[in-house]
Amino acid sequence: MPELTPGLLAELEHIVTEADTASHWGSGGLPVFSTPALVGLMESAAAVALAGHLSPGQTTVGGHIDVRHLAATPVGMKVRAKAELIAVEGRKLVFKIQAWDELELIGDANHDRFVIDETSFMAKVATKNQS
């Protein structure tokens, strides 16, 4: 397995659309960037930070996220999330993630991902359909 070391970084940008809003997700009635969309952006940034650092046949899955959504962002505004790998504990990878819109910090999170073998993982998932 390639070396996974703290300090790996990735940053993603996204323009908020109607599909990202709390009213669309059903997580509130307002046309602002939703917490589910924020979590998705944060998880994506963490996954991108690992690009090229996993062995063939490996990927990661999210296991835990502790997120604070700090400020509202309107449709049309750019948001960005920056993820940094801060610890490697066996298969567990710990990330610190922050997100901003064009004016301010809008969220922060601690996020755990786990390195998995894709084939074994999907074989286990497939057994759920064999009832």
Side-chain angles (χ1 to χ4, degrees):
M1 177 166 125
E3 189 72 21
L4 289 170
T5 56
L8 294 176
L9 296 168
E11 191 168 315
L12 292 180
E13 292 185 345
H14 177 74
I15 303 294
V16 177
T17 69
E18 181 61 37
D20 300 315
T21 63
S23 53
H24 175 83
W25 275 92
S27 64
L30 300 175
V32 296
F33 192 51
S34 69
T35 302
L38 175 64
V39 169
L41 182 67
M42 290 175 152
E43 281 204 73
S44 294
V48 168
L50 300 171
H53 296 280
L54 298 172
S55 296
Q58 289 185 324
T59 191
T60 60
V61 292
H64 178 82
I65 190 162
D66 181 11
V67 65
R68 295 187 314 156
H69 196 164
L70 303 169
T73 303
V75 170
M77 190 172 271
K78 184 183 340 179
V79 291
R80 64 185 169 93
K82 181 178 179 182
E84 179 180 4
L85 180 63
I86 61 169
V88 177
E89 302 167 1
R91 294 185 321 108
K92 179 180 170 184
L93 309 175
V94 181
F95 287 87
K96 168 87 174 130
I97 308 170
Q98 292 184 304
W100 299 265
D101 62 21
E102 296 173 32
L103 299 176
E104 62 186 331
L105 181 70
I106 62 167
D108 58 32
N110 294 311
H111 177 45
D112 299 339
R113 298 191 69 75
F114 293 86
V115 177
I116 55 119
D117 176 84
E118 291 179 30
T119 302
S120 299
F121 184 88
M122 291 310 297
K124 185 175 180 181
V125 170
T127 65
K128 290 186 170 188
N129 284 330
Q130 299 172 359
S131 305

